[in-house]
Amino acid sequence: MTVVSVRNLTVTAADRAIVSGASFDLAEGGITALVGESGSGKTTTALSLLGEKPPGAEVSGSIEVAGETVDPAHPPAAGTIGYIPQHPSAALNPVRRIGPVLREIARLHVRAGSRRERRELVRQRVLEALRQAQVPEELLHRYPHQLSGGQQQRVVLAHQLIGRPRVLVADEPTTGQDAVIRGQLVEEFRSVAARGIAVLLLTHDLDLVRALADHVLVMNRGEVVETGPCEEVLGAPRHPCTRRLIDAQPDPAATGRAAPEPGDPVVSVRGLVAGHRRVDTVHDVTVEVHRGETLAVVGRSGSGKSTLARCLAGLHPHRSGEIRLGDTPLPPLLRKRTPEQTARIQYVFQDARASFNEFAPVLDQVARTAERLRGAGRTEARRRAAGELARLGVTEASASRRPAELSGGELQRAALVRAALARPEVLICDEITSGLDTTTQADLLDVLEELQDDTGCALVVITHDLAVVAGRSDRVVIVDGGRIVERGRTAEVLAEPGHPVTKDLVTAAVRFTAGTRARPD
Amino acid sequence: MRRYAVPATLVAVPLLLAVLGPLLASHDTTKDVAFLLGGGHWFGTDFVGRDVWNEVLLGGRSLVLTAVTATACSYALAVPLGLVAGMTGSRALDEAIMRPLDLLLAVPSMLMLLLLASIAPGVPWVLIGVVTLINLPDVVRISRAAALSLSSRPAVEAMRLQGESRIRIGVHYAARAMRRTLAADLGTRFTGAIYLVASASFLGVGVSPQTSDWAAMVDRNRVGLFIQPWAVVLPALLVVALSIGVNLAFDRWLRDHDPRSTFLEAR
Amino acid sequence: MTIPRYLARRALLGAVQVLLVVAGVFALAEALPGDAAVTIAGDNPDPAVIAALRERLGLDQPAWQRLGEWLLAALRGDFGQSLVGPRAVVDIIAAAAGPTLLLAALTLALLVPLSIGLGVLSARREGGLLDRLVTGTTLGLYSAPEFAMGVLVVTVFAVQLRWFPPTAVGTSLLSDPAVLVLPVFVLLLRPICSLSRLIRAGMIDAQRSAYVHHVRRLGLSPARVRFAHALPNAAAPAVQQLARTTDWLVGGVIVVEAIFVVPGLGTTLTEAVAARDLPVIQGLAVVFATATVLVNLTADIAARVLAPAAEAGR
Amino acid sequence: AGPGTTSAGGPPRPGGRLRAAFSGGGAAEVLDPHKTDLYVEIARAKALFDKLADFGSDMSPVPRLAERWEPSADLTTWRITLRQAAFHDGRPVRAADVLASFARITEPGSSRRAKSTLSVIDLPNSREIDERTVEFRLQRPYGEFPNALATLGAYIIPEGTANFDRPIGTGPFRFVAFEPGRTFLAARNPGHWDGAPLLDELEIVVTNDEAARVNALLGGQVEYAHDLTPTSARTHESSGQVQVHRLPLSNFHGLAMKVDRPPFDRPELRQALFHLVDREELVRSVLQGSGQVCNDIYGKGYRYYADALPQRRQDLDRARALVRQAGAEGMTIGFDTSDASTGLKEAALAISDQAKEIGLHLEVRLGNKDTYWSDIASNGVLAGYRSGGMPLESHFSQRLLTTSTTNNTRWQRPEFDARYHEAQSTTDEQRRAELYREMQETLFHEGGFLWWGVSDWIVASAPGVHGIDDRAPANTLDWARFDGVWLA
Ligand SMILES: Nc1ncnc2c1ncn2[C@@H]1O[C@H](COP(=O)(O)OP(=O)(O)OP(=O)(O)O)[C@@H](O)[C@H]1O
Ligand SMILES: Nc1ncnc2c1ncn2[C@@H]1O[C@H](COP(=O)(O)OP(=O)(O)OP(=O)(O)O)[C@@H](O)[C@H]1O
Ligand SMILES: [Mg+2]
Ligand SMILES: [Mg+2]
């Protein structure tokens, strides 16, 4: 049965159609995937189901959710549509612990019974949701900032799984998840759908689409250019856009770059220990990054990858050990580092949206790097920034808007440019491809390679996407529980994983793609 | 501009009176019976028989000027301090800023006023200094509290990685994120400063007793509230109008210049 | 840093602060013109009498010596005798602390819910009629000075309508609670504005944040969304202002104490300063400084709780 | 018993408790009658104790515990006969109590209020003639010695009293309870020598804020409110909710110019000020009409006052000419004032405005109110001044003799001193009056004080209160006297 029916949806803002004439239905128990290039209007379409629109935008067309007409003046009843935002960190209240909020949500769905019974039911419901969303129970006492990016995302998922919405809209729900968890989440989404919930999945991950979706909608520049059953659309794409997306998918079987011989170490980390409050989350890590190489950092969600990266960037003071940049030891604190040192190691944040100042145009912010760290003049810096952004497909017009008016993928690219403008010797990229469609992702990786060739910059790529790892990195380190458990040349490690964790990750990824991807011949 | 009509009127009337008043006022010093209602005076006479309207004309300029300067001074000093204390990663720096200010808070402000009154009577700068000093720790604390939750945001970390100076982060990000809080506080603090100026002039700091002053008028004429209400009500109304107007204008302006939108952040 | 260690360090710092404040206040009071002997002599300032008084009160000794002696005695818990009256400083302060604390506690108990309520209410629709009404009213009351409000309130509710007693003359605050109504009312008028404005500002910002939006989408009731999710994020600046209000209630409500004849700490301080009664001023300084230190400590802990992420960054 | 009544309320009725609100001094207040400084302390002392004499409404001494006094011919020995009176504990009042009381007041090292006045007595040589007769030997001839007996704080306490926690006196009321700065309760003394008071109880509450006193009165929390501003009086007089009593000739307002230093060492400049001040305007605006103009000399309406002198009025031309003569045109002169007493500051503002018209710039400086009197005693040249009521003799001796301790105008003239001493050495009232007239004439022309007005003391009472004397200036016998008051 159709739960959501959208007809001729058009959203215009600033004389430009963000979405134009989209029509589709969501059926009870069906999983529909909405795919398309970054900035094609996916999030905007999804949010219009909730009766939300960009400020100043005009919405036309009709939306019906569970028989009720929805428009910005009449949003659907709270709880009808579950929504998992693309950037989950902002959805978590910074001053509330995880557990109480989950219980609060659960209480909405537990009626009947005595107080004791209710309490027990609430507890069960919370535990159930935690299990489904793969959130360990010990995180209940934590504040959101005490979670890793992937954990935050799963907590938000748990919020939605507690309730019983008619429709679940999930905007990139697996971007921050490792292969193992992703596999488990696929099962959960299936069971959600099996409960009769209509699922709208917004994603770039075509493997995920193949694994889950019954139906696929492809968007391009605000228009739905192709729709149909999953196998049909992805198996025999008709629209060039769709074809491009499929073609650009990285090859998981790639065997790493033809790596140059390792240069001198730019950064060497020795015996690094770091942690939060009393617990250590990074233990005795020793690793070197060589000039011009690409080092992939892979590990389960919550294994300490971001913490390690932040230590390098000077954002998280380590407890002991040493980080050397060239021959000089680096002070642990950013404010003790010279601008020169700051410029030489740059970090691209996992959550791009949160890393922008919401009050200033993105372009201005991006350009500041060139001004501050490379001594460029104001106009020169802007020119450079605009150029780099354009290379990645973000127009100057978009970039001149405030962060809130850019799509997730656009911001991710802007964040990369912001760091790259410092012309760093080491560029740490924390999940920078996660929010990007395959085409843009490929472009971005090409641009990075160019940068590497031009400047001899070393890349540290933190990612869950083993395909990216396989195709683009020279060496890989596998992190687990804050320790490096395996390291080596990418091709070798992926081909013959030594550590159980690596094995798990690789098998999960392979199983995932093998089961879904019809290998192009 | 129509949306600003109400706040603009509320601010303009007292402000114009304050600025132009002294030009229109008569400097005739003869006195009538104190607290006369009518008797050839538009708004009666005050506690020593001076014409209330004339006093109102005379009494705005210095008051508004000192209150504005004092509030501006306290903000100019306090907000940067609060930002630094709230956003610094160094606990030592935070404490080094906050604990001495706590000392200032712990000294009864009346004692401070009294002392300054006796040390340097009649100097407007002293008055501005006192009012600034009294407000300083409060504003520092409020802005520190507001800044504290900003300090750990990735946006701030990203700016630091760009090599941005503390000042720039403060001005371009933190101050903007806090602007609503600061405006709310500034609005009420300005009003507070008006009365602080008055009570200080009552103690003899700053404004000399010969000078007319709205807030001091309210204070000195209060005994006559029931036989000659104008002497209190008129200046009080002007202060009220000024204060409500300033605050409403802030509110309006913040609403019109709101770069935020939930929709897009919650995506 | 863990909370107990933090507390221990702040307690130590607090003791130093109190000491410094007391020394500072001593210096301030010394710097004031005249001394107890002069004020006792009053409008009959016979130099011989003043000199005799000085000698009797020990005021002829050097200042540092008097401060030292006072501090030594204070460490033993002896705050000395008033210079102008026959009573012990401790008795004087204890007698005045009762009414002050009672008034302060009552006012705070009403102030917090009221200002939160008003702030949240006016933030419901920014710029709406209700918002402007609340803003206008609270600001109007704020900008009308408290003595004027006091006089007005007494005239209307006590003298004309006779609903409440006009002053606390001749009764004790506890035996006749009706006496408390008007002073508490007047005490509320000012802080309610500054607090509710801050809450309003914070609430508007918080209500637009993604996390509030998120829980709203989840179907939490509007009240829960406001009070359990938006308010904790909005409250940080208001908590600091509340701390200042508490300070003021403990030591600075001189006007209200005068209008309603409540013999509290503020009045005692005014009188002691007027009489240059140094031991009493010193004793009060200890009380006020301790109160401020405690209030600040509480406020700082609240600030930590309300910005949990900030601590991690340190 | 008691003074004449002014309001008709039927025949006096005994009973009831009168609650009176005074301003006070907080925790520092004491019940020691020898240390009375504040009005509230005087009122309490008056309820509990008696003096040998007290001032009548024209400031002439009226016998109280003293039945009569007889001086020797040379006015250096005075024999006082005591009334048959008893302390609250039943002990009779004896000559020994009088001597002991005065000895306590004048004790070396003490700072008791009446000390300087009573030190005229040569106590070691004074003696008890019998139980009820005392003979005072004086240091010098003192024709107005009864003034000293009536002086503030010269109360008689039982011999050997050192502790005033539960004071025992001879007054119309006996002590019940006291909390400094808050309340005082006393009950009728049925055995009072002047007849028992009508009230059962007298409660005195301390209320520093004037508005609060009025409100308490309006709200029925007290029946008597002491010390109101003219504004409050005007506000409530007509409403009929309260009775307003204006006690005339209570509070003198003036200026003190220091005659020993420039610029006021030039008599012309002092005279210029005499002619400058618009007394009517000051009375109208500063006193709000609640008072009368004075003629620059102290003591209007009191015994020996020189009322034959012509009333001075503002004469700007004359003033201008005098300023010129003094060479003070365009001069800036510091003018000290403060909030130490009501009207002080307002008067200063008004006078400095008036002075502008003759080209004198009087720069008003607001001083610290707590130390004002002591500050102006030595510093500055021109200061706002006030004085309560006292006999002319006291005014002269305390403020205008070379040896005076509070000689704020630095008026030090041997011939003036000589006249004073002569007046005290003569038994001839006429001669004394003549001498006083001459002294006042000198002051009128070139003195350092400019008394421009005298204000009423305003008290108010609830409608049912009767027996309050409406003529007694503050600090005289019938002011704040509750033994003749009754409630109807
Ligand atoms: N403030 C904190 N207090 C305690 N534990 C924390 C805190 N911050 C992070 N952690 C924990 O530290 C571990 C490492 O976090 P980190 O962000 O480095 O993980 P990650 O490898 O980047 O994971 P993801 O892939 O999900 O982003 C996680 O298990 C996280 O729960
Ligand atoms: N207020 C606005 N004014 C103008 N353009 C806007 C506004 N808000 C969004 N856009 C633009 O609309 C386009 C669609 O945004 P949307 O967030 O829907 O993209 P998306 O498909 O979700 O992309 P992504 O995959 O990167 O998240 C983007 O190019 C964005 O820049
Ligand atoms: Mg999107
Ligand atoms: Mg991470």
Side-chain angles (χ1 to χ4, degrees), chain D residues 182-221:
Chain D
R182 308 258 196 111
T183 64
F184 164 83
L185 185 63
R188 173 198 287 133
N189 170 17
H192 190 230
W193 57 267
D194 199 14
L198 294 159
L199 296 169
D200 288 341
E201 286 176 313
L202 170 68
E203 184 180 355
I204 294 179
V205 292
V206 170
T207 310
N208 283 330
D209 192 70
E210 191 257 357
R213 287 196 294 277
V214 176
N215 287 329
L217 182 64
L218 290 168
Q221 292 182 309

Side-chain angles (χ1 to χ4, degrees), chain A residues 37-44 83 86-87 171-172 202 204 353 406-410 435, chain B residues 267:
Chain A
E37 267 181 32
S38 167
S40 58
K42 300 183 293 295
T43 304
T44 311
Y83 182 77
Q86 191 169 1
H87 298 273
D171 200 348
E172 305 287 2
L202 280 59
H204 298 298
R353 190 173 290 280
L406 263 62
S407 82
E410 286 163 348
Chain B
R267 302 202 273 187

Side-chain angles (χ1 to χ4, degrees), chain C residues 38 40 80 89 121 127 154 159 168 181 185 213 279 300 302:
Chain C
V38 167
I40 290 172
V89 171
L121 205 66
V154 169
V159 175
V181 175
F185 180 75
H213 220 70
D300 285 345

Side-chain angles (χ1 to χ4, degrees), chain A residues 266-285:
Chain A
V266 207
V267 166
S268 39
V269 175
R270 215 166 303 283
L272 190 81
V273 179
H276 304 94
R277 295 216 181 179
R278 270 164 296 178
V279 289
D280 287 348
T281 39
V282 171
H283 310 271
D284 193 20
V285 165

Side-chain angles (χ1 to χ4, degrees), chain C residues 33-34 38-39 42-47 49 53 84-87 92 95 154 159 162 165-167 169 258-259 261 263 271 274 276, chain D residues 26-28 30 37 111 113 180 182 203 205-209 212 215-216 218-219 221-222 241 368 370-371 373-374 377 386 405-406:
Chain C
V38 167
T39 62
D43 64 353
N44 193 20
D46 181 345
V49 173
L53 273 169
V84 292
R87 297 216 290 164
I92 294 177
V154 169
V159 175
R162 294 203 169 235
T167 69
V169 157
I259 296 176
V261 200
E271 278 161 3
R276 304 289 186 271
Chain D
V30 288
D37 253 325
S111 55
R113 183 87 196 191
R182 308 258 196 111
E203 184 180 355
V205 292
V206 170
T207 310
N208 283 330
D209 192 70
N215 287 329
L218 290 168
Q221 292 182 309
V222 298
Q241 283 177 292
N368 187 298
D370 309 317
T371 55
W373 303 115
S374 139
R386 71 156 282 279
T405 50
T406 49

Side-chain angles (χ1 to χ4, degrees), chain A residues 142 146 148-151 276 281 301-307 350 464:
Chain A
R142 300 233 183 128
Q146 296 171 325
S148 79
Q151 287 165 342
H276 304 94
T281 39
S301 168
S303 57
K305 303 181 296 292
S306 296
T307 311
Q350 187 168 6
H464 292 300

Side-chain angles (χ1 to χ4, degrees), chain A residues 123-313:
Chain A
R123 207 180 66 84
Q124 279 172 11
R125 198 136 182 176
V126 167
L127 290 182
E128 165 78 3
L130 288 183
R131 193 194 52 72
Q132 290 176 327
Q134 311 287 326
V135 180
E137 221 175 301
E138 72 256 22
L139 300 191
L140 285 181
H141 306 290
R142 300 233 183 128
Y143 285 103
H145 74 270
Q146 296 171 325
L147 303 183
S148 79
Q151 287 165 342
Q152 289 177 341
Q153 197 172 28
R154 295 193 313 267
V155 167
V156 174
L157 177 61
H159 284 175
Q160 300 301 348
L161 294 176
I162 286 183
R164 295 281 182 270
R166 304 284 311 273
V167 184
L168 180 62
V169 178
D171 200 348
E172 305 287 2
T174 59
T175 46
Q177 310 305 335
D178 61 65
V180 179
I181 291 183
R182 189 170 59 159
Q184 285 156 341
L185 289 184
V186 165
E187 297 307 316
E188 288 309 326
F189 274 105
R190 286 216 184 95
S191 72
V192 164
R195 275 187 270 151
I197 297 174
V199 178
L200 179 63
L201 188 66
L202 280 59
T203 186
H204 298 298
D205 185 345
L206 297 183
D207 290 335
L208 184 70
V209 175
R210 287 197 188 90
L212 271 177
D214 317 320
H215 225 79
V216 177
L217 301 163
V218 184
M219 283 190 84
N220 185 32
R221 292 167 190 261
E223 279 177 63
V224 177
V225 292
E226 187 166 357
T227 89
C230 182
E231 308 81 58
E232 218 169 87
V233 174
L234 294 188
R238 275 170 313 205
H239 196 275
C241 280
T242 325
R243 217 167 295 136
R244 250 201 333 270
L245 286 174
I246 296 173
D247 292 346
Q249 258 195 297
D251 181 3
T255 50
R257 294 201 304 181
E261 280 311 297
D264 339 315
V266 207
V267 166
S268 39
V269 175
R270 215 166 303 283
L272 190 81
V273 179
H276 304 94
R277 295 216 181 179
R278 270 164 296 178
V279 289
D280 287 348
T281 39
V282 171
H283 310 271
D284 193 20
V285 165
T286 300
V287 70
E288 282 180 350
V289 183
H290 302 276
R291 195 171 301 283
E293 76 164 344
T294 302
L295 173 69
V297 179
V298 176
R300 303 287 309 264
S301 168
S303 57
K305 303 181 296 292
S306 296
T307 311
L308 173 61
R310 289 166 54 84
C311 286
L312 290 177

Side-chain angles (χ1 to χ4, degrees), chain C residues 271-303:
Chain C
E271 278 161 3
V273 170
R276 304 289 186 271
D277 194 345
L278 258 172
V280 177
I281 298 179
Q282 295 278 85
L284 285 168
V286 172
V287 172
F288 292 150
T290 314
T292 308
V293 164
L294 288 180
V295 164
N296 283 345
L297 183 54
T298 319
D300 285 345
I301 290 176

